[in-house]
Amino acid sequence: MTVRTRFAPSPTGHLHIGGVRTALYSWLYARRYGGQFVLRIEDTDRERSTGEYEKSILEGIAWLGLDYDEGPFYQSQRLPRYREVIGELLQQDKAYHCYCSKEDLDAMREQQRARGQKPRYDGCCRDNPAAKRPDISPVVRFKNPLAGDLVIDDKIRGRVIFSNEELDDLIIARADGAPTYNFTVVVDDVDMSISHVIRGDDHLNNTPRQVNIFEALGVVPPIYAHVPMILGADGQKLSKRHGALSVLEYREQGYLPQALLNYLVRLGWSHGDQEIFSIEEMQRLFDIADVNKAASAFNTEKLLWLNQHYIKASDTAFLVDQLRHFLTVRAIDISNGPDLSAVVEVQRERAKTLVEMAQKSEVFYRDFENYDEKAATKNLKPEICGGLRELRERFAAIDNWDAELIHEAIEDIAAQQGLKFGKLAQPLRVAVTGSTASPPIDTTLVLLGRRRTVERLDRAIRFIDRDST
């Protein structure tokens, strides 16, 4: 059997973490077994579907590198096909028109509740020609089997049994002729020869209804795998406060796609104790049957750890392009500072995200507005001013601005002032960066350049003089 999986998002919202993991698992399964991965846009909900959401979904999939072999197919362009199949089911007496009004259905459910029964459609229009009413535009209902059990051999959950007696006759076309979700996905999966449906377990209750439609169409249903949900660290349903962001928000926050994919593939699946997986390893090792049955908890710290790993391991040219983008977003003129590749090399070990890298690098291109108050109080004191003045004069006289000469100058002035190296280097760091955190001081000054270093020392000296008067 040729493996054909699909990812079928609805453009009624942005692509979020749960959807990304489902797409990833479907993509990896197809890649491992030499199959095809199909993208389908389920946009029949015209009121809630928007072009903005569709663009966001497609952009997110492209950013993640989840290339699809076919599609995107749009349900909104397949309405004639759905009408054709509905007509066939009506003709074969596998579906029927239902003329019950909303008021009829409400009354039916109230009576059932009063009798202690589960509210459901009772099939009153099924096989009942007298139910036809000229004043009602009927819906079309599928004739669900009335008895027997339906067994789903789920690749993750194992055997799941549903009783047909618990299922009512599903509406497959509304009164305006619009097809419904559980019907359209079956027709699509049939026409697109989908062999495996990998999706969230919130769809599990839809599965028996869909399988019965497959069988009514004379088609063997696909193999199902229902992926457990993702929870927050507190065990509650994942929400935005836990990290349930749009995938493009992760991009904007400076995460790398490799890190997000690596994190999500491990969120419910494992291969021994291995934590870091290349895309090639994921494709070779992943199998949907190995996914855990239990829900997984989202851990932002683990994602940050992976992101930092990939920043450290990434190609310098790639990171240069990324850093350029995030500095540009911050309206920073990168022509007014050091070469980006030099900045990347000193920052890649210090940043967990690309946004953090840009924030830490801004100081090399643009003057800071204020000193960190705590850092200034502790380090920019009158007794250090003499050492900073000496450094300023020594730096101004250096023609060959390099780390070795800078380090030598700091050592010499510290010794003259009777200070340990760090006791002068830290006030110097605050003077030129505004804070106590930066790369090694000699490297920091090399990147700042002699002119900017001297100017910032002048500013710090004025600050100390002003503060001490």
Side-chain angles (χ1 to χ4, degrees):
M1 173 177 57
T2 299
V3 171
R4 285 176 61 84
T5 64
R6 46 84 159 174
F7 179 54
S10 173
T12 55
H14 295 292
L15 179 59
H16 289 82
I17 284 297
V20 172
R21 185 178 64 163
T22 299
L24 173 62
Y25 283 1
S26 298
W27 182 77
L28 289 174
Y29 194 76
R31 292 291 174 263
R32 174 173 181 176
Y33 292 101
Q36 290 89 46
F37 175 62
V38 178
L39 178 62
R40 185 168 77 221
I41 305 296
E42 297 186 341
D43 59 346
T44 52
D45 186 344
R46 302 312 299 163
E47 291 184 2
R48 297 171 57 223
S49 296
T50 70
E52 175 192 354
Y53 290 139
E54 178 195 327
K55 179 182 177 183
S56 170
I57 290 168
L58 294 176
E59 191 174 343
I61 291 172
W63 177 66
L64 292 166
L66 301 180
D67 56 313
Y68 40 91
D69 302 290
E70 297 178 18
F73 298 107
Y74 294 86
Q75 285 189 332
S76 60
Q77 298 173 3
R78 290 174 46 77
L79 296 177
R81 173 59 177 156
Y82 304 139
R83 286 194 287 268
E84 176 188 5
V85 178
I86 289 170
E88 292 173 358
L89 290 174
L90 286 168
Q91 187 176 21
Q92 297 166 10
D93 196 29
K94 295 177 179 178
Y96 61 96
H97 289 108
C98 172
Y99 294 86
C100 293
S101 66
K102 181 180 182 300
E103 292 73 21
D104 294 333
L105 295 173
D106 288 343
M108 181 188 303
R109 295 185 185 107
E110 282 302 316
Q111 293 169 9
Q112 290 168 336
R113 290 190 187 98
R115 295 193 296 266
Q117 298 173 337
K118 176 182 176 181
R120 50 181 292 177
Y121 179 68
D122 65 5
C124 63
C125 293
R126 180 172 175 153
D127 301 320
N128 182 12
K132 186 173 183 179
R133 293 166 53 181
D135 60 321
I136 295 288
S137 295
V139 299
V140 178
R141 290 184 181 270
F142 172 70
K143 280 191 172 181
N144 195 76
L146 297 175
D149 289 336
L150 191 148
V151 179
I152 308 295
D153 287 317
D154 192 277
K155 295 283 282 185
I156 295 174
R157 299 176 64 93
R159 175 162 288 202
V160 185
I161 301 175
F162 298 90
S163 171
N164 281 318
E165 294 179 2
E166 294 295 315
L167 306 174
D168 57 8
D169 289 349
L170 175 73
I171 294 175
I172 59 175
R174 300 182 182 92
D176 62 0
T180 59
Y181 166 78
N182 278 304
F183 173 72
T184 58
V185 296
V186 171
V187 177
D188 291 342
D189 287 344
V190 169
D191 290 352
M192 298 171 194
S193 302
I194 300 302
S195 66
H196 292 74
V197 172
I198 299 170
R199 59 188 182 185
D201 63 2
D202 54 326
H203 285 283
L204 182 61
N205 287 334
N206 291 326
T207 304
R209 299 179 180 277
Q210 294 171 11
V211 168
N212 282 334
I213 297 174
F214 274 107
E215 293 180 347
L217 295 175
V219 177
V220 176
I223 296 168
Y224 288 92
H226 289 90
V227 181
M229 68 172 61
I230 301 173
L231 302 176
D234 57 2
Q236 300 300 308
K237 182 179 179 181
L238 192 65
S239 64
K240 195 161 187 173
R241 66 188 173 89
H242 297 112
L245 308 176
S246 150
V247 65
L248 295 183
E249 288 181 275
Y250 282 98
R251 182 180 67 176
E252 291 163 7
Q253 291 185 5
Y255 289 91
L256 296 177
Q258 307 97 301
L260 194 56
L261 293 177
N262 194 151
Y263 178 73
L264 289 176
V265 79
R266 286 282 289 107
L267 200 60
W269 172 84
S270 62
H271 181 73
D273 295 327
Q274 186 172 342
E275 294 286 351
I276 307 296
F277 292 86
S278 67
I279 294 296
E280 293 74 18
E281 286 176 314
M282 292 184 207
Q283 292 178 346
R284 177 167 50 85
L285 299 172
F286 178 81
D287 199 310
I288 196 66
D290 297 330
V291 172
N292 296 333
K293 295 180 182 180
S296 301
F298 191 87
N299 185 325
T300 302
E301 289 303 312
K302 180 68 172 293
L303 175 57
L304 282 168
W305 176 79
L306 278 168
N307 203 56
Q308 186 170 36
H309 164 81
Y310 281 99
I311 287 175
K312 292 177 181 178
S314 289
D315 177 71
T316 299
F318 168 77
L319 289 179
V320 164
D321 287 341
Q322 296 297 311
L323 181 58
R324 179 183 293 111
H325 166 75
F326 283 99
L327 288 173
T328 301
V329 166
R330 299 172 72 84
I332 294 173
D333 180 6
I334 58 175
S335 66
N336 186 30
D339 185 79
L340 283 175
S341 60
V343 176
V344 163
E345 289 307 324
V346 300
Q347 299 287 39
R348 66 161 75 233
E349 298 283 336
R350 305 179 63 249
K352 293 182 179 179
T353 70
L354 295 168
V355 166
E356 184 183 5
M357 182 182 285
Q359 290 170 340
K360 291 178 181 293
S361 302
E362 183 176 341
V363 69
F364 300 123
Y365 299 91
R366 183 160 64 192
D367 289 338
F368 53 89
E369 292 185 8
N370 300 297
Y371 297 104
D372 176 84
E373 185 175 350
K374 185 176 180 180
T377 299
K378 182 177 180 180
N379 292 279
L380 300 184
K381 298 185 289 188
E383 54 266 34
I384 204 67
C385 198
L388 295 181
R389 290 182 191 277
E390 292 293 327
L391 282 174
R392 188 259 184 230
E393 297 306 318
R394 180 75 172 265
F395 289 156
I398 295 178
D399 292 325
N400 184 22
W401 189 252
D402 65 23
E404 184 176 347
L405 290 177
I406 290 168
H407 193 89
E408 182 181 302
I410 300 171
E411 280 188 330
D412 290 348
I413 302 302
Q416 292 172 20
Q417 297 288 319
L419 300 170
K420 292 183 178 180
F421 184 90
K423 292 296 183 179
L424 181 59
Q426 191 70 332
L428 172 60
R429 177 177 282 108
V430 175
V432 298
T433 70
S435 73
T436 56
S438 82
I441 188 62
D442 46 6
T443 303
T444 297
L445 298 189
V446 168
L447 292 173
L448 282 171
R450 183 178 64 178
R451 178 188 60 80
R452 188 171 266 134
T453 297
V454 171
E455 288 175 353
R456 292 185 182 179
L457 276 169
D458 286 339
R459 174 186 175 182
I461 292 165
R462 290 194 300 271
F463 174 85
I464 295 171
D465 287 343
R466 184 172 62 252
D467 200 48
S468 60
T469 58

